[in-house]
Amino acid sequence: MPIPPSAEIVDGCKTFIPLENNPEVLKLLCENLSISDDLDFHDIISTSPELIQEWYPRPCHALIVLADRPIYLGARPPAAELNTPEYTGSGPDEPILWMKQTLGHACGLMALLHVVFNLEDGQYVLPGTGLDILRQQAIHLSPKERAQLLYDSQLLEEAHMDAASRGSSNVPSPRDDNHHHFIAFVQKDGQVWELNGGLKGPVLRGAISDGDDLLSEQGLKLTVEELLIAAERAGHSEMSIVAVTGAGAKHHIPHRE
């Protein structure tokens, strides 16, 4: 296996190669971090109810979304953040574990960590692994200290750089401009959370009905609907959605006459 490239310091900040939002790369990143094989990733090629019902295993309680900058800014304008207070939560009683991103071009890694650390109370982080130790440390730290913990982690750097350098497209340099941004959505305890390390904290998108998941009509409305509308308005198609499913997910076999 070739030695993965190293991160670079760009404008004083440790900067990675951007990650691709595709199931193979995300699965490879999970392998590098010793995350449970029960976690699976599925490209969402359409959000039409018929295709969702027929093609994708359910339930799905997490999504990872990658959007081009015009799409992201169209759905999440910077002005919306101005009156949002800086998040200061920490400890095991937090409703959701959120981490601020200070690493350059690491939003894909942050999205995966936000999913894995929160989905089904972190059960896909295998006990005793390096990632488990990091998660347990992060729970008790302030957001600023968590960010530094991730920034300094050699485990995360090596895992990310290896996965990012083995995608299907040409491998960019950490110094290349990155016009895309990742967002994670996680359903936990009847609530839907938007987890984005580039914001000031976690965003509670709303409550979701019992029996619904993030690929239900209500789940899509609470997660990707605004991004899909922004993509249509901007005339951009550079957006991808990956569904994340766990051990209990199954394909629905439609009844046909």
Side-chain angles (χ1 to χ4, degrees):
M1 181 186 301
I3 298 173
S6 298
E8 296 186 31
I9 303 299
V10 180
D11 296 329
C13 176
K14 185 193 291 187
T15 303
F16 292 169
I17 294 170
L19 203 68
E20 289 182 21
N21 193 32
N22 74 58
E24 292 76 19
V25 170
L26 292 170
K27 194 72 173 177
L28 176 58
L29 182 54
C30 286
E31 291 173 6
N32 290 348
L33 293 170
S34 300
I35 293 166
S36 170
D37 288 340
D38 288 333
L39 205 65
D40 277 320
F41 303 88
H42 317 272
D43 265 326
I44 302 297
I45 58 172
S46 170
T47 56
S48 75
E50 295 78 18
L51 283 176
I52 289 288
Q53 184 74 1
E54 186 167 349
W55 284 95
Y56 301 107
R58 311 284 287 277
C60 166
H61 297 308
L63 300 174
I64 294 176
V65 180
L66 177 66
D68 193 15
R69 188 175 294 162
I71 298 171
Y72 175 75
L73 293 178
R76 303 288 186 272
E81 274 289 286
L82 292 179
N83 297 320
T84 305
E86 199 78 34
Y87 183 72
T88 59
S90 65
D93 295 329
E94 284 179 288
I96 202 81
L97 175 58
W98 176 83
M99 298 157 293
K100 187 174 183 64
Q101 178 185 339
T102 54
L103 289 158
H105 294 177
C107 52
L109 172 66
M110 296 297 296
L112 179 71
L113 292 178
H114 276 127
V115 166
V116 174
F117 282 179
N118 289 290
L119 184 62
E120 298 177 44
D121 292 319
Q123 75 169 46
Y124 300 102
V125 180
L126 298 180
T129 60
L131 191 65
D132 180 43
I133 294 169
L134 187 144
R135 180 178 182 268
Q136 295 304 324
Q137 291 174 321
I139 286 171
H140 299 281
L141 298 176
S142 69
K144 183 177 181 180
E145 292 168 327
R146 283 178 189 169
Q148 193 63 48
L149 178 71
L150 302 188
Y151 190 94
D152 293 335
S153 172
Q154 193 67 24
L155 169 69
L156 296 182
E157 178 179 341
E158 292 176 358
H160 175 104
M161 293 298 285
D162 175 67
S165 65
R166 292 203 274 159
S168 59
S169 59
N170 292 332
V171 179
S173 161
R175 295 183 176 276
D176 290 345
D177 193 15
N178 180 22
H179 296 281
H180 297 77
H181 192 69
F182 278 87
I183 309 169
F185 295 97
V186 175
Q187 178 180 346
K188 184 180 179 186
D189 299 328
Q191 306 282 354
V192 177
W193 294 88
E194 179 175 334
L195 302 172
N196 178 348
L199 299 181
K200 293 182 178 180
V203 178
L204 179 59
R205 301 293 296 172
I208 190 166
S209 303
D210 289 343
D212 276 347
D213 68 358
L214 296 191
L215 292 182
S216 68
E217 181 179 356
Q218 186 184 25
L220 293 170
K221 188 177 184 65
L222 289 170
T223 57
V224 299
E225 183 178 78
E226 291 176 350
L227 291 159
L228 291 169
I229 292 171
E232 185 174 353
R233 287 176 177 167
H236 282 263
S237 60
E238 292 186 42
M239 175 179 166
S240 64
I241 305 168
V242 170
V244 187
T245 57
K250 297 179 180 179
H251 276 92
H252 170 74
I253 300 176
H255 175 73
R256 301 186 188 278
E257 295 294 340

